[in-house]
């Protein structure tokens, strides 16, 4: 068959999206992207910037962030570890408690970082022991940078506390919600598509993880009764066994758990609202992070619910586990990954990588048209792919789309050129603004005049500016498209994508307070209003219900 010149143009412009995986990335990530018709990056064959998504288990170098191209996304935000290391998280939450009151920030169990807080811990421990009529607390000791339940110890008597690395000693929630006598916690997936402006999505499906032995405070060293980590329980003797009320294995989906709660008259919507508040308040505690564009972070929030239906934050995971241990994992995680790709909002423009790669190396292969997968059409509505083109009655019918595509490339190129001409020499402020990809920040005097009476000075804003110090590299950092997570229509974050629900910004005031830097104080004010509206319509008779749940 003869290839027409226009068809050739189509092949050159419309190529499949390309993913790049670093070592040890779970296989399911590759599977999902291939299912969607993406192709894998080949370092030997392709240009360095000829990819759309780079996924790795460890943080990227700042140079990776600075050299990001508009069509690319990275799966980590710089310094996200500030919230995922147990001691950092404890410190941030403590600071927020001090600044904004314990009423709002009392969702994380009291914690001490050892050995630094040893004296404070002893004081608290002794105070409890001396108060008559008070049952002494149980404590859990966790190494700060380990995961999967490794190195954890639960104790009541200080003589049992031993550690040989930095640990946090946290109050052990000794009255967890039990189903048929088994302890459980929730693995909630949270995707932050931007820290500036703060944009948070929670995934409505998730995993309920059960301990596989019955909860018993009399046997604190039975890890299968006290820890809900799958890595521990899947090796336990009861994992495969049918457990009354729970079933085999150690997992449920959120959907199953929520229907279960509803059967017993528990207001699961209220519970989820409280959990969403925890997510927002926790992420606010680590803002500002250094400004970076076109990256996202998938966090795993571990939430424990007590027998009064109060949710507690246990920890936040970096790279939440994506291994498939059972069919429930497969259902939840596969769909989660598909929805993440949807959330990344790839557009037609993202297939035009080659045209925009500065200094493209000649002689290198680009992803050829012929390897384009079938699923690419589903990546983003309107993305013109081989399948779509093939379905078209004639090449001429793709002309308007192609024309529009070429036009947008031309516009981007012209804009970039223009801005280079308009600002031949960059001032420090203009560079900062460019890097922040934000409108001009008012000068101090302007800001003072603008400040509402009574709002005072926000320490967070000035702290944020300290992070925006120019680096030699950031002049290369040009954002030629607007942020990927915004909807086309009104330039606001897309409210829902697949199973992802936007939880922040949750109203107009929160949106405004997160636009020019994060105004934590104003956001907290809005959250307080929200919380007061979220009070339960009727008091739940928790005691009676817990009785039902535990005996089922
Ligand atoms: P890791 O990173 O090792 O998984 P976690 O903080 O998630 O550490 O703790 C592991 C498990 O221990 C949790 O899934 C939960 O079952 C239990 N756990 C942790 N902290 C507490 C706590 N403060 N109260 C009750 N149970 C806890």
């Amino acid at each position: 068959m003869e290839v027409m010149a226009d068809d050739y143009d189509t092949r050159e412009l419309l190529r499949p999206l390309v993913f790049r995986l670093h070592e040890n990335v779970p296989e399911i990530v590759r599977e999902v992207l291939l299912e969607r018709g993406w192709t894998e990056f080949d370092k030997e064959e392709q240009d360095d910037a000829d990819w759309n998504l780079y996924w790795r288990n460890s943080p990227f170098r700042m140079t990776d962030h600075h050299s990001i191209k508009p069509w690319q996304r990275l799966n980590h935000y710089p310094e996200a570890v500030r919230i995922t290391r147990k001691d950092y998280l404890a410190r941030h939450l403590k600071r927020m408690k001090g600044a904004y009151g314990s009423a709002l920030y009392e969702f994380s169990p009291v914690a001490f970082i050892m050995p630094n807080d040893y004296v404070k811990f002893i004081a608290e421990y002794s105070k409890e022991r001396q108060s008559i009529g008070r049952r002494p607390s149980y404590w859990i000791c966790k190494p700060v940078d380990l995961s999967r339940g490794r190195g954890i110890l639960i104790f009541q008597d200080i003589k049992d506390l031993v550690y040989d690395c930095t640990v946090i000693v946290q109050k052990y929630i000794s009255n967890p919600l039990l189903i048929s006598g088994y302890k459980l916690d929730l693995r909630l997936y949270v995707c932050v598509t931007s820290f500036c402006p703060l944009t948070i999505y929670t995934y409505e499906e998730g995993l309920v993880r059960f301990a596989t032995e019955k909860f018993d405070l009399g046997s604190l060293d039975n890890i299968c009764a006290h820890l809900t980590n799958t890595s521990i329980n899947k090796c336990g003797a009861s994992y495969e066994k049918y457990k009354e009320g729970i079933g085999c294995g150690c997992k449920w989906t959120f959907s199953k758990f929520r229907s279960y709660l509803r059967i017993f008259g528990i207001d699961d919507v209220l519970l989820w609202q409280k959990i969403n508040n925890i997510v927002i308040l926790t992420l606010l505690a680590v803002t500002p992070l250094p400004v970076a564009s076109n990256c996202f972070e998938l966090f795993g929030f571990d939430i424990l619910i007590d027998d009064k239906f109060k949710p507690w934050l246990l920890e936040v995971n970096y790279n939440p586990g994506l291994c498939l241990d059972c069919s429930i994992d497969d259902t939840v995680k596969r769909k989660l990954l598909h929805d993440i790709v949807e959330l990344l909002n790839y557009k037609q423009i993202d297939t035009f990588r080659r045209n925009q790669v500065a200094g493209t190396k000649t002689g290198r292969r680009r992803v050829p048209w012929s390897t384009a997968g079938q699923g690419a059409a589903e990546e983003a509505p309107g993305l013109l792919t081989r399948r779509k083109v093939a379905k078209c009655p004639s090449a001429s019918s793709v002309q308007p789309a192609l024309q529009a595509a070429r036009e947008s490339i031309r516009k981007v190129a012209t804009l970039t050129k223009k801005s280079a001409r308009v600002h031949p020499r960059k001032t420090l402020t203009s560079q900062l603004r460019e890097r922040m990809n934000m409108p001009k920040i008012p000068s101090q005097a302007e800001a003072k005049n603008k400040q509402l009476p009574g709002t005072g000075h926000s320490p967070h804003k000035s702290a944020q500016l300290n992070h925006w110090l120019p680096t030699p590299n950031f002049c290369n950092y040009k954002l030629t498209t607007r942020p990927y997570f915004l909807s086309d229509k009104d330039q606001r974050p897309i409210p829902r994508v697949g199973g992802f629900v936007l939880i922040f910004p949750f109203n107009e005031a929160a949106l405004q307070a997160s636009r020019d830097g994060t105004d934590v104080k104003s956001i907290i004010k809005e959250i307080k209003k929200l919380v007061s509206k979220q009070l339960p319509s009727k008091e739940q008779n928790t005691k009676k219900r817990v009785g039902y749940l535990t005996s089922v």
Side-chain angles (χ1 to χ4, degrees), residues 137-172:
S137 298
Y138 292 85
W139 299 90
I140 184 165
C141 167
K142 310 188 262 189
V144 294
D145 52 2
L146 287 186
S147 58
R148 291 179 275 137
R150 288 170 295 175
I152 291 184
L153 165 87
I154 302 165
F155 65 95
Q156 195 174 27
D157 192 322
I158 199 163
K159 73 174 172 16
D160 297 323
L161 170 64
V162 276
Y163 54 88
D164 57 4
C165 58
T166 310
V167 294
I168 70 162
V169 171
Q170 198 177 53
K171 262 205 181 147
Y172 186 63

Side-chain angles (χ1 to χ4, degrees), residues 86 142 149 170-173 183 185 227-229 315:
K86 294 177 179 71
K142 310 188 262 189
Q170 198 177 53
K171 262 205 181 147
Y172 186 63
I173 310 294
K183 177 176 171 177
D185 76 359
L227 309 188
T228 50
N229 303 80
E315 71 154 343

Side-chain angles (χ1 to χ4, degrees), residues 352-541:
F352 305 145
R353 299 178 296 276
R354 199 194 74 169
N355 308 57
Q356 298 192 35
V357 174
T360 297
K361 291 168 193 154
T362 47
R364 280 203 172 182
R365 188 178 71 88
R366 279 132 211 146
V367 178
W369 170 255
S370 55
T371 57
Q374 292 298 312
E378 280 86 49
E379 298 306 329
L383 190 67
L384 192 61
T385 62
R386 179 174 61 151
R387 190 162 52 152
K388 280 192 180 171
V389 174
K391 276 187 190 159
C392 291
S394 71
S396 64
S397 60
V398 302
Q399 285 315 302
L402 278 175
Q403 196 50 47
R406 289 195 194 101
E407 192 51 38
S408 52
I409 295 170
R410 221 169 288 134
K411 265 187 205 154
V412 168
T414 323
L415 264 177
T416 318
K417 263 192 222 151
K418 260 192 198 158
S419 63
R421 247 181 277 126
V422 174
H423 308 287
R425 246 191 80 235
K426 290 175 189 210
T427 62
L428 183 63
T429 346
S430 73
Q431 289 179 14
L432 275 170
R433 221 162 33 231
E434 186 180 337
R435 182 163 182 232
M436 284 148 40
N437 187 32
M438 279 176 187
K440 177 177 167 283
I441 290 187
S443 68
Q444 264 185 5
E446 282 169 336
K448 240 185 194 168
N449 293 339
K450 267 192 169 181
Q451 221 166 38
L452 296 171
T455 51
H457 169 71
S458 160
H460 302 282
K461 279 200 169 175
S462 54
Q464 186 156 2
L465 276 169
N466 291 337
H467 284 279
W468 293 334
L469 294 174
T471 67
N473 270 332
F474 81 73
C475 294
N476 303 334
Y477 181 85
K478 241 174 241 129
L479 203 77
T480 46
T481 54
R482 48 184 189 73
Y484 68 86
F485 52 87
L486 298 182
S487 73
D488 289 329
K489 203 164 51 61
D490 51 11
Q491 302 269 301
R492 281 157 197 272
I494 305 161
R496 185 189 183 97
V497 178
F500 279 108
V501 180
L502 181 76
I503 62 158
F504 190 89
F506 50 82
N507 65 16
E508 190 59 35
L511 177 75
Q512 294 312 329
S514 59
R515 271 206 163 141
D516 296 337
T518 312
D519 179 355
V520 178
K521 207 169 168 183
S522 306
I523 295 171
I524 296 273
K525 234 163 127 186
E526 287 305 310
I527 294 177
K528 282 186 179 160
K529 283 190 218 160
L530 192 74
V531 170
S532 64
K533 279 190 213 147
Q534 287 171 349
L535 290 173
S537 48
K538 55 179 189 303
E539 273 303 310
Q540 294 186 355
N541 185 353

Side-chain angles (χ1 to χ4, degrees), residues 333-350:
K333 295 175 186 177
R334 195 173 294 277
K335 171 96 174 35
L336 169 79
L337 284 166
H338 275 287
D339 288 348
I340 286 177
V341 182
E342 292 290 342
L343 194 59
L344 298 183
N345 204 17
Y346 286 99
K347 300 244 162 77
Q348 195 174 27
I349 190 88
D350 297 314

